Amino acid sequence: MIAQSSVANDLLTRLDVVAYREIMVRAVEQPLALGVNLATAGEKIEFCWFPTSGLVSIIALDAEGGEAEVGMIGREGIVNLPVVLGDDCSALRVMVQVVGSAIRVEASAVRAVMAHHPAARALFLAYVQVFTIQVATSAIAYARYAIDKRLARWILMCGDRVGDSNIGLTHEALSIMLGVRRASVTVAVSNLAKTGAIIARRSHIAIANRPRLLRLCASGYGLPEREYVRLIGVQAA
């Protein structure tokens, strides 16, 4: 069992010792391979995942097969939130967007810990609230922001959750994350690179000047991150 003091997931580190042991006794460490689905729309959820590195995208799909990312989860959270809310089915696609690793736990084990440990239940529900705020601010970004500003916001959010300024993101992945055509992503990446905010290479983006990215985002970035600190009590990874 991984020592709680060294586990690289913020929610797991916040559990009390007994709840942590009950979670981990049925846990398995697994790699997160690029493009792997951790949940499929309309199918039963068997597992929850606590990422320790990498990034997971929550993707909404329309009837014509179009898709767009509505949220992202990294080391700060738990993947497959319907389980926390008492459901056992996903309405959305959940896909690994940046390779990494995670602690995989049976959904039934998460439900049992929540039932027996009120503090764990409160912690996981607080994260659901943070994620709901993230989705709400993403809706504003889709509706009101130019692509360059949306891209700057997503790069900052990805960097926060990956815990690194160097992010492995293809233009195809970014087109899903931003809900735009790949050609539009190429233009937006080029525009941000010209400002010196990022360094863009094939399948790779590096944050070169975070303050400049923050200025480009203006008020578009930061609310979910501040709410994480308020509700969870620690800065998101």
Side-chain angles (χ1 to χ4, degrees):
M1 181 184 296
I2 304 172
Q4 189 172 11
S5 60
S6 62
V7 70
N9 177 278
D10 287 339
L11 291 187
L12 291 179
T13 64
R14 305 292 289 182
L15 291 172
D16 66 61
V17 174
V18 176
Y20 177 78
R21 288 175 179 168
E22 290 183 13
I23 280 275
M24 295 301 289
V25 75
R26 299 173 66 180
V28 177
E29 291 184 76
Q30 288 201 337
L32 296 177
L34 183 64
V36 168
N37 288 334
L38 303 184
T40 302
E43 294 187 2
K44 185 176 181 179
I45 298 172
E46 300 288 346
F47 301 101
C48 291
W49 308 75
F50 294 86
T52 53
S53 62
L55 189 74
V56 174
S57 287
I58 316 302
I59 299 170
L61 301 93
D62 63 24
E64 288 74 39
E67 56 185 11
E69 183 189 78
V70 296
M72 63 177 76
I73 300 173
R75 300 181 304 165
E76 85 292 349
I78 173 176
V79 174
N80 285 345
L81 293 176
V83 172
V84 176
L85 296 172
D87 197 4
D88 64 355
C89 183
S90 178
L92 303 171
R93 179 185 176 202
V94 181
M95 184 189 76
V96 177
Q97 197 70 268
V98 176
V99 296
S101 59
I103 306 295
R104 191 194 75 181
V105 183
E106 293 178 9
S108 58
V110 172
R111 293 189 192 99
V113 167
M114 291 181 66
H116 299 143
H117 299 274
R121 180 176 182 274
L123 177 68
F124 293 161
L125 288 175
Y127 181 71
V128 172
Q129 170 68 358
V130 172
F131 186 78
T132 301
I133 294 167
Q134 183 195 141
V135 172
T137 57
S138 295
I140 293 174
Y142 278 120
R144 296 178 61 90
Y145 300 162
I147 296 175
D148 289 8
K149 183 174 179 178
R150 283 155 58 187
L151 177 60
R153 174 180 178 268
W154 282 118
I155 290 172
L156 285 168
M157 292 176 66
C158 289
D160 291 345
R161 287 154 182 80
V162 172
D164 196 339
S165 295
N166 298 291
I167 310 165
L169 286 173
T170 66
H171 285 199
E172 181 178 358
L174 285 169
S175 71
I176 295 173
M177 295 168 77
L178 297 171
V180 297
R181 294 181 300 110
R182 185 171 174 174
S184 299
V185 170
T186 299
V187 172
V189 168
S190 177
N191 289 342
L192 290 191
K194 288 175 183 177
T195 71
I198 64 171
I199 298 171
R201 301 186 182 93
R202 183 178 178 84
S203 302
H204 179 88
I205 289 175
I207 298 175
N209 191 319
R210 183 180 174 87
R212 190 164 295 168
L213 277 178
L214 288 169
R215 287 196 297 272
L216 288 169
C217 289
S219 61
Y221 165 86
L223 178 58
E225 291 72 22
R226 291 191 297 273
E227 288 297 286
Y228 191 94
V229 174
R230 183 177 73 85
L231 293 168
I232 308 298
V234 63
Q235 187 171 356

